[in-house]
Amino acid sequence: MFFCNKKGFFNFFHYLCNAIHDFNCITNQYPHMKRLATALTLACLTMTAAAQETYRIPVSEEHEPMQQGKYEPTWQSLETHQTPEWFRNAKFGIWAHWGAQCVEGSGDWMAREMYMEGNNKYKYHVEHYGHPSEFGYKDILPLFKAERWQPDSLVARYKRCGAQYFFVLGNHHDNYDLWDSKYQPWNSKNIGPKRDILDEWAKAAKKAGLPLGISFHADHAWTWFEPSQRYDLEGDKAGIYYDGNLTKNDGKGKWWEGMDPQMLYQQNHPMSKGSWDNGAIHGQWAWGGGACPPSREFVTNFYDRTLDAINRYQPDLIYFDVTVLPFYPLSDAGLKIAAHLYNKNPRGVVFGKILSDSQRKALTWDVERGAPNEIIDEPWQTCNCIGDWHYNTRTYERGYKSAENMVKQLVDIVSKNGNLLLNIPLRADGTYDEKAAAFLDELEAWMTQNGESIFGTRPWVRFGEGPVADKDIKMRAQGFNEGQYNGMDCRDIRFNQTKRHLYATPMGWPSDGKIIITSLAKGNKYMKKRISSVYLLGHGKLKAVQTDAGLEVTLPKPCNKIAPVLRIDK
């Protein structure tokens, strides 16, 4: 038929619109036909809008109905939601990106890379646990014990470091739910800790008075776990398939008897194009480039699980490690999840990556490990980590990012209307190591002294000055440009403000104690008021002189280990 597919559908309405345009011209001569022309036009627009909201894999609401309310699962409706003021004021959150993939201590994506012959994670797994045809990721799950995990004390510690919201992992690409999941038997209540991790985290956040965020990543398990369908190409095990294709019938007499491994691995489908190319998945993250399309059953299962967690634990924020929204543009699942949260919680925040300008009105833009080098009108967030996303002993040995580095990134991000969500890696037992402890000590010291220049602030007329501020810094995909911001020093100054004060933060202490802020030179166009004194947080008032070169300030000996913060009355 003429419109048997979506392209044909749009072509049909393109011709129909042209015909109606011609018909409207005729009604100028025959006014009595204008009512019919108007009706046809409205019908055309309605049908076109319906076509644009038609998705290849519509999600089922049979088990978990979307919360009804002000917001509909369309971009036009979601654009009316505003990122709440509490989030704009918060500026800083801490994330416990923690789960069963921390067991081996080999870092992020270990559940995928343990199936990649020759990979370091594969070698480590074979040496310490066995071949993935005999001991797969499913067999790692019971080893995740969380035996020293104390959520109350961890969240309290993060709050002392300045966290204004707290994020937890709901599931990762490994498809293992960290709660007593109704729709995924491979969960932390059934296997591993035998605890409802989300429930305990949520109660700890509530006790500390912090908004709760949950991140959901399992929508990509479909393609992410495809290496589990492979086999070795070399060695004694060559040609022996890994455990990714096992079924419930294979479990007789095993510890997992009665469980279906396909509920975990989700590999009952053909491999994606180029699946044996370990890097191909990155070009297929938005479900293009030859990615095997997910089944409606899989999409609906993710939708059901996400709504189950939202309904139980009442998060204020949800995060997806995806392009735009889960399964977009194949399915309406992500739009329905966003509408569900907004209708349940008007102060809710939903994050998305690689968003268009219009999509940033509906979702809060998230940038991974980086930042734009300009002020962004809509509130946004950077997600980052002091090491690897999942605990990595090699990263620990090399050393984490310094508190100095991350505080400078925070100041830079805040000056551009952004927030920083920072992951502190936890070991499988639920504790952080001594290097992470030292990081938190330094972070707490600086934030205690200078937090007033961060929380509740807004961008000034310009975000900063200095060599890095003047650079043309581009982002790669969803971010990944943080290296461009390394090495900022006292010449780089960042600004932000409240109604009463302007804050200027040089990115380091000058060796000679002299700071010149060129943006505040005598007669500058940004701040007409004459400035005669400034206040150094953690110290007191300082004398300042405005010259044609800039506002010249002489600093005392450093009163913190990272960076001075100058407060100027407006």
Side-chain angles (χ1 to χ4, degrees):
M1 292 179 64
F2 183 74
F3 48 90
C4 61
N5 56 41
K6 193 171 184 179
K7 182 177 180 181
F9 198 82
F10 287 132
N11 285 339
F12 169 74
F13 281 104
H14 172 73
Y15 293 129
L16 181 57
C17 285
N18 286 336
I20 291 175
H21 174 266
D22 293 338
F23 190 65
N24 275 319
C25 293
I26 296 173
T27 61
N28 292 329
Q29 300 179 35
Y30 302 94
H32 63 281
M33 299 182 68
K34 186 172 287 291
R35 182 177 297 177
L36 175 59
T38 301
L40 284 171
T41 301
L42 291 174
C44 177
L45 292 174
T46 300
M47 295 175 72
T48 303
Q52 290 173 330
E53 299 296 341
T54 298
Y55 294 92
R56 178 178 174 185
I57 309 173
V59 73
S60 170
E61 296 184 52
E62 178 182 357
H63 302 298
E64 294 289 340
M66 187 194 82
Q67 178 75 39
Q68 297 299 311
K70 176 181 177 181
Y71 300 100
E72 297 292 332
T74 66
W75 289 111
Q76 292 83 357
S77 178
L78 297 179
E79 283 177 9
T80 64
H81 181 268
Q82 299 294 315
T83 302
E85 285 297 296
W86 77 261
F87 178 77
R88 300 188 70 176
N89 292 331
K91 303 302 180 187
F92 180 60
I94 287 182
W95 192 359
H97 193 285
W98 173 65
Q101 288 184 86
C102 298
V103 167
E104 296 193 13
S106 58
D108 202 35
W109 284 35
M110 67 77 48
R112 171 179 165 87
E113 295 181 24
M114 63 167 278
Y115 294 105
M116 294 179 178
E117 183 181 10
N119 182 284
N120 287 333
K121 293 181 177 67
Y122 167 93
K123 292 177 181 178
Y124 185 90
H125 180 83
V126 170
E127 180 181 353
H128 293 87
Y129 297 92
H131 192 263
S133 65
E134 301 164 350
F135 197 101
Y137 183 65
K138 68 183 185 311
D139 303 295
I140 291 292
L141 299 180
L143 306 180
F144 176 49
K145 300 294 187 182
E147 62 271 27
R148 298 174 62 196
W149 176 51
Q150 297 180 342
D152 283 355
S153 62
L154 285 170
V155 176
R157 179 76 175 98
Y158 299 150
K159 185 175 181 179
R160 293 199 304 273
C161 292
Q164 303 295 297
Y165 54 102
F166 175 63
F167 246 96
V168 301
L169 195 68
N171 50 42
H172 199 249
H173 310 314
D174 65 347
N175 213 26
Y176 173 68
D177 284 355
L178 291 160
W179 75 94
D180 185 17
S181 180
K182 289 167 59 176
Y183 304 101
Q184 172 56 299
W186 297 85
N187 67 63
S188 63
K189 186 68 173 177
N190 291 338
I191 305 168
K194 302 296 180 69
R195 297 166 73 173
D196 188 327
I197 301 293
L198 281 194
D199 181 60
E200 295 186 51
W201 276 134
K203 289 175 179 175
K206 183 175 181 180
K207 182 177 179 180
L210 295 181
L212 175 70
I214 305 176
S215 65
F216 301 96
H217 310 238
D219 52 306
H220 271 97
W222 184 268
T223 53
W224 193 82
F225 257 137
E226 284 184 9
S228 69
Q229 295 191 52
R230 299 181 189 175
Y231 47 83
D232 282 2
L233 297 175
E234 300 177 352
D236 296 341
K237 302 286 188 180
I240 300 176
Y241 281 93
Y242 304 150
D243 70 333
N245 288 316
L246 293 179
T247 66
K248 185 175 181 179
N249 293 334
D250 296 310
K252 188 175 182 180
K254 307 288 178 58
W255 73 263
W256 46 276
E257 184 172 1
M259 301 279 287
D260 184 0
Q262 288 310 307
M263 285 294 294
L264 180 68
Y265 296 131
Q266 292 291 345
Q267 291 307 299
N268 189 22
H269 64 82
M271 284 185 168
S272 300
K273 180 181 179 181
S275 184
W276 280 75
D277 175 357
N278 294 335
I281 192 172
H282 300 292
Q284 299 169 344
W285 206 246
W287 299 102
C292 178
S295 67
R296 190 183 186 201
E297 179 183 18
F298 176 71
V299 171
T300 297
N301 179 257
F302 176 83
Y303 166 86
D304 287 341
R305 288 154 65 187
T306 305
L307 262 64
D308 175 41
I310 291 172
N311 293 339
R312 289 195 200 193
Y313 309 112
Q314 305 294 315
D316 295 292
L317 316 96
I318 56 176
Y319 167 104
F320 301 111
D321 189 9
V322 300
T323 300
V324 186
L325 282 171
F327 306 109
Y328 188 81
L330 298 183
S331 176
D332 58 351
L335 290 168
K336 286 188 174 181
I337 294 170
H340 181 82
L341 182 75
Y342 290 164
N343 284 331
K344 283 187 67 70
N345 185 352
R347 70 196 296 269
V349 180
V350 179
F351 295 100
K353 296 180 178 180
I354 313 183
L355 304 178
S356 68
D357 290 342
S358 61
Q359 289 166 345
R360 289 186 202 177
K361 296 177 183 177
L363 308 173
T364 300
W365 183 38
D366 181 84
V367 177
E368 184 172 351
R369 294 187 185 271
N373 208 26
E374 61 182 337
I375 295 174
I376 303 299
D377 291 337
E378 299 289 338
W380 60 281
Q381 175 182 268
T382 287
C383 59
N384 210 332
C385 181
I386 65 172
D388 207 349
W389 288 112
H390 280 103
Y391 193 79
N392 190 327
T393 54
R394 290 190 178 187
T395 304
Y396 161 78
E397 291 165 0
R398 290 194 300 266
Y400 296 132
K401 295 170 186 172
S402 67
E404 177 182 359
N405 178 281
M406 293 313 305
V407 164
K408 289 179 181 180
Q409 286 197 36
L410 171 63
V411 172
D412 178 74
I413 289 163
V414 169
S415 74
K416 301 167 184 174
N417 203 29
N419 289 24
L420 172 63
L421 175 62
L422 184 64
N423 177 47
I424 307 296
L426 295 176
R427 293 174 287 209
D429 66 3
T431 62
Y432 50 74
D433 57 48
E434 73 278 5
K435 291 183 179 179
F439 177 96
L440 292 171
D441 287 343
E442 291 187 36
L443 175 65
E444 180 180 356
W446 192 89
M447 294 288 272
T448 299
Q449 181 183 94
N450 300 289
E452 72 166 81
S453 69
I454 300 294
F455 311 124
T457 61
R458 296 292 183 270
W460 191 44
V461 292
R462 60 184 317 196
F463 74 85
E465 64 180 52
V468 176
D470 294 337
K471 288 172 64 176
D472 182 17
I473 297 178
K474 305 295 186 183
M475 291 195 298
R476 294 186 295 114
Q478 61 260 45
F480 299 114
N481 65 353
E482 65 174 324
Q484 297 288 320
Y485 294 97
N486 291 339
M488 289 187 289
D489 58 32
C490 61
R491 296 171 299 166
D492 272 290
I493 300 172
R494 297 295 177 268
F495 304 106
N496 54 343
Q497 65 179 333
T498 61
K499 290 182 179 179
R500 294 183 58 194
H501 304 297
L502 170 67
Y503 295 94
T505 305
M507 297 298 203
W509 293 87
S511 57
D512 61 359
K514 305 291 186 181
I515 290 290
I516 300 178
I517 306 175
T518 59
S519 299
L520 298 177
K522 184 189 299 183
N524 74 85
K525 62 182 179 180
Y526 306 114
M527 193 170 180
K528 303 299 184 182
K529 177 183 175 180
R530 178 177 173 273
I531 302 170
S532 59
S533 65
V534 300
Y535 187 94
L536 174 64
L537 300 189
H539 174 79
K541 285 187 177 181
L542 304 174
K543 288 185 178 180
V545 178
Q546 276 183 297
T547 69
D548 292 337
L551 178 67
E552 299 181 4
V553 182
T554 301
L555 299 175
K557 291 181 179 181
C559 56
N560 66 62
K561 294 182 178 181
I562 299 176
V565 180
L566 305 176
R567 188 179 72 198
I568 302 167
D569 291 337
K570 292 169 65 178

